[in-house]
Amino acid sequence: MRIIAVAFLLSLIAGPVLAQDHIQQYREEEKEKTQAQKAEEQRAQRAYQRSLGNVPDQKQADPWGIARTDSAAKNPPKAEAKSEAKSEAKSAAKTAPPKHAKPANAAN
């Protein structure tokens, strides 16, 4: 009984696949389009180009605008300030005395 039910379900699934029209195979030449099909394709292309003209120009969006303060959005930090901060940090690291760690088995 189970075998019959499985076969029936598989036939229900495979039915729509066999009902499809021609599916283009690999390296199969496309059929020539008729004049009506070519005219319809050109008409659709012109309509698409016209519809693109109806889209209004959008201003540039700032997705992180609500996360920043107004002054940060208007005045981005300068690259010079970043490079100065990096050079100061490097020079401070060079002049700092080395830290000596106590051995793990040393008594307090």
Side-chain angles (χ1 to χ4, degrees), residues 6 10 28 36 46 54 58 63 67 75 88 98:
V6 169
L10 286 176
E28 183 178 348
R46 284 193 305 267
N54 294 336
Q58 296 179 352
N75 300 326
E88 288 176 9

Side-chain angles (χ1 to χ4, degrees), residues 7 14 31 38-39 41 52 60 66-67 70 85 99 101-102 104-105 107:
K31 294 180 182 177
K38 290 178 183 178
E41 190 174 297
L52 288 179
Q60 191 170 6
I66 59 172
D70 288 337
K99 296 182 180 179
K102 290 183 181 180
N105 58 0

Side-chain angles (χ1 to χ4, degrees), residues 42-77:
Q42 287 178 347
R43 187 196 62 75
Q45 185 65 24
R46 284 193 305 267
Y48 172 71
Q49 292 298 327
R50 270 195 320 270
S51 69
L52 288 179
N54 294 336
V55 176
D57 292 332
Q58 296 179 352
K59 62 181 182 178
Q60 191 170 6
D62 184 12
W64 288 94
I66 59 172
R68 281 189 237 112
T69 61
D70 288 337
S71 62
K74 292 178 183 174
N75 300 326

Side-chain angles (χ1 to χ4, degrees), residues 5-102:
V6 169
F8 178 72
L9 289 174
L10 286 176
S11 66
L12 285 177
I13 293 171
V17 172
L18 297 174
Q20 291 181 3
D21 286 340
H22 175 74
I23 299 172
Q24 186 175 357
Q25 301 294 323
Y26 179 69
R27 289 191 163 196
E28 183 178 348
E29 297 291 326
E30 290 186 20
K31 294 180 182 177
E32 289 292 322
K33 294 181 180 179
T34 64
Q35 288 296 90
Q37 290 173 332
K38 290 178 183 178
E40 178 65 25
E41 190 174 297
Q42 287 178 347
R43 187 196 62 75
Q45 185 65 24
R46 284 193 305 267
Y48 172 71
Q49 292 298 327
R50 270 195 320 270
S51 69
L52 288 179
N54 294 336
V55 176
D57 292 332
Q58 296 179 352
K59 62 181 182 178
Q60 191 170 6
D62 184 12
W64 288 94
I66 59 172
R68 281 189 237 112
T69 61
D70 288 337
S71 62
K74 292 178 183 174
N75 300 326
K78 296 181 181 177
E80 295 173 7
K82 288 182 181 179
S83 62
E84 289 175 11
K86 286 182 181 179
S87 63
E88 288 176 9
K90 286 182 182 178
S91 64
K94 289 180 182 177
T95 59
K99 296 182 180 179
H100 297 287
K102 290 183 181 180

